[in-house]
Amino acid sequence: MTGPITSLQNPRVKAVVRLRDRRHRDREGQMLVEGHDELRLALAGGVRPLTLFHCPAFTRAADAELLTRVAALGAEIVEVAPPVFEKMAYRDNPDGWLAVAPVVGHTLDGLRLGDRPLLLAVEAVEKPGNLGALLRTADAAGVTAVIVCDPATDAHNPNVVRSSRGTLFTVPVVAASTADTLTWLRAHGIAIVAATPAAARDYTAADLSGPVAIAVGAEDTGLTAAWLGQADLAVRIPMVGQVNSLNVSAAAALLVYEAVRQRSTRPPAP
């Protein structure tokens, strides 16, 4: 273990802060994982940190075992003073754990689909908090993978890690273009179910028990014509209030859990 680092001007501190910016993450191929629970899930998902910045003043004695685990994986352990950690941290009330790790990534062709894949396709998601919430739902529901199409924010954004509570590392996440995703879905015989307020059929009346990709779009514009034109089925969520749309993460949760419900009551097709 090196350190402790006490200077806010230390070059390593500045390098960590720069990783909040997407350009630096893409250039370095590195990302930040902050928080004990998030780091624990990252390790479980196969992530191998490069460096762990650790502030004993903020950590709990009961969490010390994680330090040993990270060190055993070959990561450099760097102790930092509280003011330094607060500068590097990107969330309020930090708990003293901040790792630099290689970016995680999956490809469409590398996904393991199984017999009845349940995929969530998200087009042009803008807010890291929404993407993080979508990942939490995907993890809880056992979704096969999340495909982020033409993303306006990247999955390695520190706020995605935070809002996903670490489930970025437990669910395969693929970033791909809409065109590539649609071609890949067709090649694998996966039905496309598009969520849109203009649909005539309620989502509970659709058959979501087979191989399916549930597609949701940005809240302000919804799915583009590319998705709506290729969809095998369009479904809507009934809206009886004054607004005509739900938060994208809430809408996706309804559709995904309807698919889960149907799969629990309907056996696989022969």
Side-chain angles (χ1 to χ4, degrees), residues 171-225:
V171 179
V173 180
V174 175
S177 69
T178 287
D180 287 346
T181 301
L182 290 171
T183 299
W184 181 83
L185 291 172
R186 290 294 179 219
H188 289 79
I190 299 173
I192 300 168
V193 177
T196 170
R201 180 177 301 188
D202 287 355
Y203 73 101
T204 53
D207 184 359
L208 306 177
S209 61
V212 66
I214 296 172
V216 295
E219 294 174 35
D220 53 348
T221 59
L223 290 167
T224 60

Side-chain angles (χ1 to χ4, degrees), residues 43-58:
L43 297 183
V47 173
R48 296 297 179 260
L50 303 171
T51 307
L52 174 62
F53 293 90
H54 176 243
C55 182
F58 293 150

Side-chain angles (χ1 to χ4, degrees), residues 15-16 32-33 99 137 165 206 208:
V16 168
L32 300 175
V33 183
T137 293
R165 298 298 298 273
L208 306 177

Side-chain angles (χ1 to χ4, degrees), residues 66-156:
L66 185 61
L67 196 67
T68 302
R69 290 179 58 195
V70 175
L73 293 172
E76 179 186 12
I77 307 299
V78 180
E79 183 179 329
V80 299
V84 175
F85 195 90
E86 289 175 335
K87 179 177 180 178
M88 293 191 300
Y90 53 84
R91 67 188 200 183
D92 297 331
N93 302 314
D95 65 1
W97 302 90
L98 178 61
V100 176
V103 297
V104 295
H106 298 269
T107 64
L108 291 171
D109 290 336
L111 293 177
R112 297 181 180 180
L113 297 178
D115 296 330
R116 285 197 297 174
L118 172 58
L119 303 170
L120 178 59
V122 187
E123 185 186 30
V125 62
E126 296 180 353
K127 298 179 181 178
N130 281 341
L131 181 53
L134 287 161
L135 293 174
R136 290 179 69 179
T137 293
D139 173 85
V143 167
T144 306
V146 175
I147 306 173
V148 185
C149 301
D150 303 326
T153 187
D154 69 307
H156 306 118

Side-chain angles (χ1 to χ4, degrees), residues 153-169:
T153 187
D154 69 307
H156 306 118
N157 187 309
N159 287 312
V160 174
V161 179
R162 176 177 62 179
S163 58
S164 77
R165 298 298 298 273
T167 55
L168 169 66
F169 308 111

